[in-house]
Amino acid sequence: MRELMYEGKAKRVYKTETDGELILSYKDDATAFNGQKKEVFQGKGRFNNLITAHVFEALTKVGIRHHFIETLNDTEQKVYQTEIIPLEVVVRNQASYTLEKRLGIKEGTAFDPPLVEWFYKNDALNDPLINDQHAQLLMDVNSVELSFIKEAALKINAALIDFFKQINVKLIDFKIEFGRLLNGDIILSDEISPDTCRLVDLTTDEHLDKDVFRQGTGDILTVYQKILTRLEELS
Ligand code: C5P
């Protein structure tokens, strides 16, 4: 029996026999609005597992350190163990409807340089927007490390823009998380999938991401399948 270490909204984390390595098991659950909207879509876990693997492999090619080691099966992947920093790093190339609602910046407004935001990963507090000082007060991270995380996020953004362009998709925004290896190094962790990115078809403007579930505008499995199929055709 594997030991369950942690269960989140979208994934379970198991210990392995090897120190410093974990198994991530992707669930079929979709949640939105901090868990207020919830549904199970059979096969969604497989899409996020396999799409995340494609994305991390592309990031390896451009020299970005991350936790992904290998795909184990349809819904599971092996990763390096990190202690997740409770900071949700959002990078925006374009304003979404959420930003328009929060700041009045018109949806579709392009950002150059891209906008980087920090949110405190805390369900009870509804993941509030925070600044550098809040981050240093709330978590084990210093100002040099925050600068490193911001630079890494922008580099990841540039790599992801190019990567998704190859499958005719525009990257509007995304959320990433970083974790600390046992030796203290900070690396990219968690997942990068249509659950965590806004991805729009360059030709049709169709959303190929979780917005179809959040807004009830389409079938999540159909659009995630489109992303996976295009990635498989690419490799
Ligand atoms: O909702 P918001 O516009 O702030 O989301 C920005 C980006 O971060 C979107 O791509 C969304 O999918 C992602 N996100 C996420 N997990 C959250 C909040 C946002 O993956 N808890």
Side-chain angles (χ1 to χ4, degrees):
M1 264 296 278
R2 303 186 300 198
E3 190 187 333
L4 180 68
M5 264 187 71
Y6 171 79
E7 178 159 1
K9 291 197 277 276
K11 294 185 284 295
R12 293 187 187 87
V13 183
Y14 295 95
K15 283 192 174 161
T16 66
E17 277 104 72
T18 313
D19 268 356
E21 294 183 2
L22 300 173
I23 293 171
L24 292 191
S25 179
Y26 285 73
K27 307 200 293 190
D28 284 336
D29 305 42
T31 61
F33 316 117
N34 196 16
Q36 284 176 52
K37 184 171 179 175
K38 228 181 197 169
E39 215 169 309
V40 178
F41 295 97
Q42 215 173 353
K44 176 176 163 294
R46 172 175 168 270
F47 288 132
N48 283 351
N49 180 45
L50 301 182
I51 293 168
T52 293
H54 279 284
V55 173
F56 278 122
E57 278 159 9
L59 292 177
T60 300
K61 289 185 193 149
V62 292
I64 287 156
R65 284 183 79 192
H66 55 71
H67 75 158
F68 176 79
I69 301 172
E70 61 176 344
T71 303
L72 297 172
N73 55 50
D74 269 359
T75 56
E76 296 183 322
Q77 54 189 234
K78 195 195 283 180
V79 301
Y80 292 113
Q81 179 167 9
T82 62
E83 190 175 332
I84 292 288
I85 298 168
L87 184 72
E88 300 201 333
V89 180
V90 169
V91 182
R92 300 180 191 275
N93 295 304
Q94 200 177 295
S96 61
Y97 59 89
T98 58
L99 205 70
E100 176 160 350
K101 194 171 159 212
R102 176 153 55 88
L103 295 176
I105 299 171
K106 206 171 155 16
E107 182 178 2
T109 305
F111 299 126
D112 187 14
L115 187 60
V116 180
E117 296 178 331
W118 311 136
F119 294 86
Y120 181 30
K121 189 176 156 78
N122 183 314
D123 284 343
L125 297 176
N126 219 357
D127 299 343
L129 178 75
I130 58 171
N131 66 21
D132 282 48
Q133 283 181 294
H134 294 133
Q136 289 174 68
L137 284 170
L138 290 164
M139 54 199 85
D140 177 24
V141 69
N142 63 38
S143 62
V144 174
E145 289 169 334
L146 283 171
S147 300
F148 166 79
I149 289 172
K150 183 174 176 189
E151 285 315 304
L154 289 170
K155 198 170 158 197
I156 291 161
N157 181 47
L160 292 181
I161 289 174
D162 287 349
F163 178 64
F164 285 116
K165 206 181 280 168
Q166 292 178 70
I167 60 163
N168 202 43
V169 162
K170 177 157 79 169
L171 177 65
I172 307 284
D173 57 31
F174 61 96
K175 182 268 301 180
I176 46 178
E177 295 179 24
F178 290 81
R180 223 179 257 285
L181 288 167
L182 299 176
N183 71 5
D185 286 1
I186 293 175
I187 62 167
L188 175 66
S189 300
D190 197 51
E191 68 176 287
I192 300 182
S193 73
D195 266 11
T196 63
C197 302
R198 282 198 175 89
L199 302 169
V200 170
D201 186 287
L202 270 166
T203 311
T204 65
D205 260 354
E206 171 192 18
H207 268 270
L208 303 175
D209 59 50
K210 200 162 94 173
D211 266 1
V212 301
F213 168 69
R214 293 189 189 101
Q215 305 200 286
T217 50
D219 177 54
I220 196 167
L221 294 175
T222 306
V223 302
Y224 284 29
Q225 175 72 67
K226 280 189 189 176
I227 295 288
L228 181 61
T229 302
R230 292 185 198 183
L231 291 176
E232 285 174 345
E233 284 167 1
L234 189 66
S235 49

